[in-house]
Structures are given as C-alpha cells and as structure tokens.
Amino acid sequence: MRKIESFQMKKIYAIGHALGITGNGSEDELHILVSGVTGKDSIKELSYQEAMAVIKRLEDLQGGTAAPKPSSRKPKEHSQRPGGVTSGQQKKIWALMYELKKRDKSPNEVLLGDRLCAVIKKELHVDAIAKNPFAWLTFSQGNTLIEVLKGYLKSLERKEAASDGIVRPCEDRKPG
C-alpha cells in the first residue's frame, strides 16, 4: 500500500493552518478531522489514498479558495469561513437549540454544545466538538441542520398539544 507523500502532509497542515484548525498534539481539530475521515490518529500513518480523502475534505471545508487574511477590525460574533456555516445560520441554530432546551420536561445535565454535537452527528453524520460545532459543516449542511431543528420543535409542539388534549389541525395536510 502506497504511503503518504511529503507534499500531501505539507498540504494537509497548510490547509489546516489556513482554516485555523491546527494546534498542539493529536487533540487539535485537524487530527480529529483526520480521525473522523480515516479512523487513524496520526497523519504520518495515512496511506496515499487516505491522505487524498483528507485533502479533499479540507478543500471542501475551505470552499475551494484560500482562507481570508485576518482583518484588523473587530471579529464577528460567530466566526465563519468561506463555504461554511454563516454567522446568521449559527445564530438561528443556537436560537433553536435554546428553544428546545426551554421546552425540556425535566432538567437536562447535558451541555447545550454537547447536545448540538449529538444532533450534528446523528442527522448530518459529521463529527463535531462543542468548542466549535460548526467547524466542519458546509453552508448547505447549516441549512439542513436548521430545518432538522425546526422539525424537532414541531414534533415537540405536536406532543405537547396531544398531552394537553387539544386537537389542532395539521398545517401540512391538504384539504381532501
């Protein structure tokens, strides 16, 4: 089996650095992404094909363009990257998550960031970490996540209405 080549390793680290996901050791976001794509913890252990898969994923996250240079102006409330989840999408997702938390029947000990990561893993099949759950999501995945969370809220509303004994017409039904 063909091993990773030095140009691939350099490219993985360069794109990771441009995306701001490199750090110290094997616990940084770049290594977590590599592990999610290949199942291997070390970039040096990748095969040529696995390295190509990691590079493709990183390029998808990068949006096919180089990351913008840092500006001297005040950072946005939510960080975003080209081709990724926008600041507006992130605000909407967090608003929906807080609405879901508000409707919990009993207190939930799980942190909201961890709950969001679980939803992302279940619905989008993408690993996420609570520190930056949107790091590896694309713009369209952000839209999908918003719709999923809206569906969760609608389901909760239906359950609440059923437990109250109130029958409300379903808005999705067409008159027959």
Side-chain angles (χ1 to χ4, degrees):
M1 177 165 49
R2 189 172 172 189
K3 292 199 162 250
I4 187 171
E5 300 205 10
S6 64
F7 80 90
Q8 291 175 305
M9 198 175 304
K10 288 177 185 176
K11 189 166 188 172
I12 289 170
Y13 281 108
I15 297 173
H17 181 70
L19 291 172
I21 61 172
T22 58
N24 296 332
S26 63
E27 293 300 316
D28 64 8
E29 292 176 334
L30 177 63
H31 284 85
I32 294 170
L33 178 132
V34 169
S35 178
V37 171
T38 66
K40 293 183 179 175
D41 294 326
S42 172
I43 294 173
K44 292 177 186 175
E45 294 175 6
L46 299 178
S47 70
Y48 182 87
Q49 290 301 330
E50 290 168 333
M52 292 306 293
V54 170
I55 290 169
K56 175 160 181 10
R57 180 68 178 134
L58 287 168
E59 287 174 339
D60 288 346
L61 291 173
Q62 196 176 30
T65 61
K69 302 256 188 239
S71 65
S72 59
R73 59 186 190 135
K74 181 179 161 189
K76 296 179 181 164
E77 184 178 335
H78 296 287
S79 64
Q80 50 184 22
R81 57 175 178 67
V85 179
T86 66
S87 179
Q89 286 176 314
Q90 292 178 47
K91 287 178 186 177
K92 181 65 175 179
I93 291 166
W94 283 117
L96 291 167
M97 288 301 296
Y98 279 106
E99 182 65 26
L100 284 169
K101 181 177 181 170
K102 189 168 68 172
R103 293 175 182 229
D104 283 348
K105 298 269 188 227
S106 58
N108 195 332
E109 298 296 321
V110 180
L111 297 174
L112 204 55
D114 292 331
R115 288 175 75 176
L116 177 58
C117 290
V119 171
I120 291 170
K121 177 70 174 173
K122 177 183 176 191
E123 300 293 341
L124 302 176
H125 310 291
V126 175
D127 289 327
I129 57 173
K131 181 180 174 186
N132 188 0
F134 308 110
W136 303 320
L137 297 182
T138 63
F139 176 80
S140 64
Q141 288 173 320
N143 285 339
T144 302
L145 182 58
I146 290 169
E147 294 306 315
V148 164
L149 293 173
K150 285 180 181 178
Y152 284 6
L153 280 170
K154 282 184 183 181
S155 176
L156 277 175
E157 288 170 3
R158 285 193 298 268
K159 287 178 184 177
E160 288 171 356
S163 67
D164 293 341
I166 300 170
V167 178
R168 294 186 179 126
C170 184
E171 297 171 351
D172 297 336
R173 288 190 195 155
K174 294 179 183 174

Short mmCIF file of all heavy atoms in Angstrom, two decimals, residues 82-112:
data_model
loop_
_atom_site.label_atom_id
_atom_site.label_comp_id
_atom_site.label_asym_id
_atom_site.label_seq_id
_atom_site.Cartn_x
_atom_site.Cartn_y
_atom_site.Cartn_z
N PRO A 82 -15.13 30.70 4.44
CA PRO A 82 -15.73 30.59 3.11
C PRO A 82 -16.33 29.20 2.88
O PRO A 82 -15.69 28.20 3.17
CB PRO A 82 -14.56 30.83 2.16
CG PRO A 82 -13.55 31.57 2.97
CD PRO A 82 -13.72 31.10 4.38
N GLY A 83 -17.55 29.15 2.41
CA GLY A 83 -18.22 27.89 2.12
C GLY A 83 -18.79 27.20 3.35
O GLY A 83 -19.40 26.15 3.24
N GLY A 84 -18.61 27.79 4.51
CA GLY A 84 -19.08 27.18 5.75
C GLY A 84 -20.37 27.81 6.24
O GLY A 84 -21.01 28.60 5.56
N VAL A 85 -20.74 27.43 7.45
CA VAL A 85 -21.95 27.94 8.09
C VAL A 85 -21.75 29.43 8.36
O VAL A 85 -20.74 29.84 8.93
CB VAL A 85 -22.23 27.17 9.40
CG1 VAL A 85 -23.45 27.71 10.09
CG2 VAL A 85 -22.39 25.68 9.12
N THR A 86 -22.72 30.26 7.95
CA THR A 86 -22.60 31.70 8.14
C THR A 86 -22.92 32.08 9.58
O THR A 86 -23.51 31.31 10.33
CB THR A 86 -23.55 32.46 7.20
OG1 THR A 86 -24.90 32.16 7.58
CG2 THR A 86 -23.31 32.10 5.74
N SER A 87 -22.58 33.30 9.91
CA SER A 87 -22.87 33.82 11.24
C SER A 87 -24.38 33.82 11.50
O SER A 87 -24.84 33.46 12.58
CB SER A 87 -22.31 35.24 11.37
OG SER A 87 -22.59 35.78 12.63
N GLY A 88 -25.15 34.20 10.50
CA GLY A 88 -26.61 34.21 10.63
C GLY A 88 -27.17 32.81 10.86
O GLY A 88 -28.08 32.63 11.68
N GLN A 89 -26.64 31.83 10.14
CA GLN A 89 -27.08 30.44 10.34
C GLN A 89 -26.75 29.99 11.76
O GLN A 89 -27.57 29.34 12.41
CB GLN A 89 -26.40 29.50 9.34
CG GLN A 89 -26.93 29.59 7.93
CD GLN A 89 -26.13 28.70 6.99
OE1 GLN A 89 -24.90 28.69 7.02
NE2 GLN A 89 -26.83 27.94 6.17
N GLN A 90 -25.56 30.34 12.24
CA GLN A 90 -25.16 29.95 13.58
C GLN A 90 -26.09 30.56 14.63
O GLN A 90 -26.50 29.88 15.58
CB GLN A 90 -23.72 30.36 13.86
CG GLN A 90 -22.71 29.58 13.03
CD GLN A 90 -21.29 30.02 13.27
OE1 GLN A 90 -20.88 30.17 14.41
NE2 GLN A 90 -20.54 30.22 12.19
N LYS A 91 -26.45 31.82 14.45
CA LYS A 91 -27.38 32.47 15.38
C LYS A 91 -28.72 31.75 15.40
O LYS A 91 -29.31 31.51 16.46
CB LYS A 91 -27.59 33.94 14.99
CG LYS A 91 -26.41 34.82 15.28
CD LYS A 91 -26.68 36.24 14.82
CE LYS A 91 -25.45 37.10 14.97
NZ LYS A 91 -25.66 38.46 14.46
N LYS A 92 -29.22 31.40 14.22
CA LYS A 92 -30.51 30.70 14.11
C LYS A 92 -30.43 29.33 14.77
O LYS A 92 -31.35 28.91 15.50
CB LYS A 92 -30.93 30.57 12.64
CG LYS A 92 -32.25 29.89 12.42
CD LYS A 92 -33.38 30.70 12.99
CE LYS A 92 -34.72 30.07 12.65
NZ LYS A 92 -35.83 30.83 13.21
N ILE A 93 -29.35 28.60 14.53
CA ILE A 93 -29.18 27.26 15.11
C ILE A 93 -29.16 27.36 16.63
O ILE A 93 -29.84 26.59 17.32
CB ILE A 93 -27.91 26.58 14.57
CG1 ILE A 93 -28.10 26.23 13.09
CG2 ILE A 93 -27.55 25.35 15.38
CD1 ILE A 93 -26.82 25.86 12.35
N TRP A 94 -28.39 28.31 17.17
CA TRP A 94 -28.34 28.45 18.63
C TRP A 94 -29.69 28.87 19.20
O TRP A 94 -30.10 28.39 20.26
CB TRP A 94 -27.25 29.44 19.05
CG TRP A 94 -25.87 28.83 18.96
CD1 TRP A 94 -24.85 29.22 18.16
CD2 TRP A 94 -25.37 27.71 19.70
NE1 TRP A 94 -23.75 28.42 18.35
CE2 TRP A 94 -24.04 27.48 19.30
CE3 TRP A 94 -25.91 26.88 20.68
CZ2 TRP A 94 -23.25 26.47 19.82
CZ3 TRP A 94 -25.13 25.86 21.20
CH2 TRP A 94 -23.82 25.67 20.77
N ALA A 95 -30.42 29.75 18.48
CA ALA A 95 -31.75 30.15 18.95
C ALA A 95 -32.68 28.94 19.02
O ALA A 95 -33.44 28.77 19.99
CB ALA A 95 -32.33 31.22 18.03
N LEU A 96 -32.63 28.08 18.01
CA LEU A 96 -33.46 26.87 18.00
C LEU A 96 -33.05 25.92 19.12
O LEU A 96 -33.90 25.30 19.77
CB LEU A 96 -33.37 26.17 16.64
CG LEU A 96 -34.03 26.92 15.47
CD1 LEU A 96 -33.62 26.31 14.14
CD2 LEU A 96 -35.54 26.94 15.61
N MET A 97 -31.74 25.80 19.36
CA MET A 97 -31.27 24.93 20.45
C MET A 97 -31.74 25.44 21.81
O MET A 97 -32.16 24.65 22.66
CB MET A 97 -29.74 24.83 20.43
CG MET A 97 -29.16 24.01 19.29
SD MET A 97 -29.73 22.29 19.24
CE MET A 97 -29.06 21.66 20.76
N TYR A 98 -31.70 26.76 22.02
CA TYR A 98 -32.19 27.31 23.29
C TYR A 98 -33.70 27.12 23.43
O TYR A 98 -34.20 26.88 24.53
CB TYR A 98 -31.81 28.79 23.42
CG TYR A 98 -30.38 28.97 23.89
CD1 TYR A 98 -29.39 29.39 23.02
CD2 TYR A 98 -30.03 28.72 25.21
CE1 TYR A 98 -28.08 29.54 23.45
CE2 TYR A 98 -28.73 28.87 25.65
CZ TYR A 98 -27.75 29.28 24.77
OH TYR A 98 -26.46 29.42 25.20
N GLU A 99 -34.41 27.20 22.31
CA GLU A 99 -35.86 26.96 22.36
C GLU A 99 -36.14 25.50 22.72
O GLU A 99 -37.03 25.21 23.52
CB GLU A 99 -36.49 27.29 21.00
CG GLU A 99 -37.98 27.12 20.94
CD GLU A 99 -38.75 28.08 21.84
OE1 GLU A 99 -38.24 29.17 22.14
OE2 GLU A 99 -39.87 27.71 22.25
N LEU A 100 -35.37 24.58 22.17
CA LEU A 100 -35.52 23.16 22.53
C LEU A 100 -35.22 22.95 24.01
O LEU A 100 -35.94 22.21 24.70
CB LEU A 100 -34.59 22.29 21.68
CG LEU A 100 -35.02 22.03 20.24
CD1 LEU A 100 -33.88 21.40 19.45
CD2 LEU A 100 -36.26 21.16 20.19
N LYS A 101 -34.16 23.60 24.50
CA LYS A 101 -33.80 23.45 25.91
C LYS A 101 -34.90 23.99 26.82
O LYS A 101 -35.21 23.42 27.85
CB LYS A 101 -32.49 24.17 26.20
CG LYS A 101 -32.03 24.03 27.63
CD LYS A 101 -30.72 24.69 27.88
CE LYS A 101 -30.35 24.47 29.34
NZ LYS A 101 -29.00 24.87 29.63
N LYS A 102 -35.51 25.09 26.41
CA LYS A 102 -36.57 25.71 27.20
C LYS A 102 -37.77 24.78 27.34
O LYS A 102 -38.48 24.79 28.34
CB LYS A 102 -37.00 27.03 26.52
CG LYS A 102 -37.93 27.88 27.34
CD LYS A 102 -38.08 29.27 26.74
CE LYS A 102 -38.82 29.23 25.44
NZ LYS A 102 -39.14 30.56 24.92
N ARG A 103 -37.96 23.92 26.36
CA ARG A 103 -39.12 23.02 26.36
C ARG A 103 -38.84 21.67 27.02
O ARG A 103 -39.70 20.80 27.01
CB ARG A 103 -39.61 22.80 24.94
CG ARG A 103 -40.20 24.06 24.35
CD ARG A 103 -40.55 23.85 22.91
NE ARG A 103 -41.07 25.09 22.37
CZ ARG A 103 -42.19 25.16 21.69
NH1 ARG A 103 -42.90 24.09 21.46
NH2 ARG A 103 -42.59 26.31 21.21
N ASP A 104 -37.65 21.49 27.57
CA ASP A 104 -37.33 20.24 28.28
C ASP A 104 -38.32 20.03 29.42
O ASP A 104 -38.58 20.96 30.19
CB ASP A 104 -35.91 20.27 28.84
CG ASP A 104 -34.85 20.05 27.79
OD1 ASP A 104 -35.20 19.64 26.67
OD2 ASP A 104 -33.67 20.29 28.09
N LYS A 105 -38.85 18.82 29.53
CA LYS A 105 -39.78 18.49 30.62
C LYS A 105 -39.06 18.44 31.96
O LYS A 105 -39.58 18.83 32.98
CB LYS A 105 -40.47 17.16 30.35
CG LYS A 105 -41.32 17.16 29.09
CD LYS A 105 -42.72 17.55 29.41
CE LYS A 105 -43.58 17.35 28.18
NZ LYS A 105 -44.41 18.49 27.93
N SER A 106 -37.86 17.87 31.96
CA SER A 106 -37.07 17.77 33.18
C SER A 106 -35.70 18.38 32.92
O SER A 106 -35.24 18.42 31.78
CB SER A 106 -36.93 16.31 33.61
OG SER A 106 -36.32 15.57 32.59
N PRO A 107 -35.03 18.85 33.97
CA PRO A 107 -33.70 19.45 33.77
C PRO A 107 -32.75 18.46 33.10
O PRO A 107 -32.71 17.29 33.45
CB PRO A 107 -33.23 19.78 35.18
CG PRO A 107 -34.45 19.75 36.03
CD PRO A 107 -35.44 18.86 35.36
N ASN A 108 -32.00 18.94 32.14
CA ASN A 108 -31.07 18.11 31.40
C ASN A 108 -29.65 18.53 31.76
O ASN A 108 -29.30 19.70 31.64
CB ASN A 108 -31.32 18.26 29.90
CG ASN A 108 -30.66 17.19 29.09
OD1 ASN A 108 -29.64 16.64 29.49
ND2 ASN A 108 -31.23 16.89 27.95
N GLU A 109 -28.86 17.58 32.22
CA GLU A 109 -27.49 17.86 32.66
C GLU A 109 -26.52 18.04 31.50
O GLU A 109 -25.44 18.57 31.66
CB GLU A 109 -26.99 16.73 33.56
CG GLU A 109 -27.79 16.56 34.84
CD GLU A 109 -27.70 17.78 35.75
OE1 GLU A 109 -26.61 18.36 35.86
OE2 GLU A 109 -28.74 18.14 36.32
N VAL A 110 -26.90 17.60 30.30
CA VAL A 110 -26.01 17.67 29.15
C VAL A 110 -25.92 19.12 28.68
O VAL A 110 -26.93 19.81 28.54
CB VAL A 110 -26.53 16.77 28.00
CG1 VAL A 110 -25.61 16.85 26.79
CG2 VAL A 110 -26.66 15.34 28.46
N LEU A 111 -24.70 19.59 28.45
CA LEU A 111 -24.50 20.95 27.99
C LEU A 111 -25.08 21.13 26.59
O LEU A 111 -25.10 20.19 25.78
CB LEU A 111 -23.01 21.29 27.97
CG LEU A 111 -22.30 21.27 29.33
CD1 LEU A 111 -20.81 21.49 29.14
CD2 LEU A 111 -22.89 22.33 30.24
N LEU A 112 -25.52 22.35 26.29
CA LEU A 112 -26.18 22.62 25.01
C LEU A 112 -25.25 22.36 23.83
O LEU A 112 -25.67 21.84 22.81
CB LEU A 112 -26.67 24.07 25.00
CG LEU A 112 -27.81 24.38 24.06
CD1 LEU A 112 -29.00 23.49 24.32
CD2 LEU A 112 -28.22 25.83 24.19
#
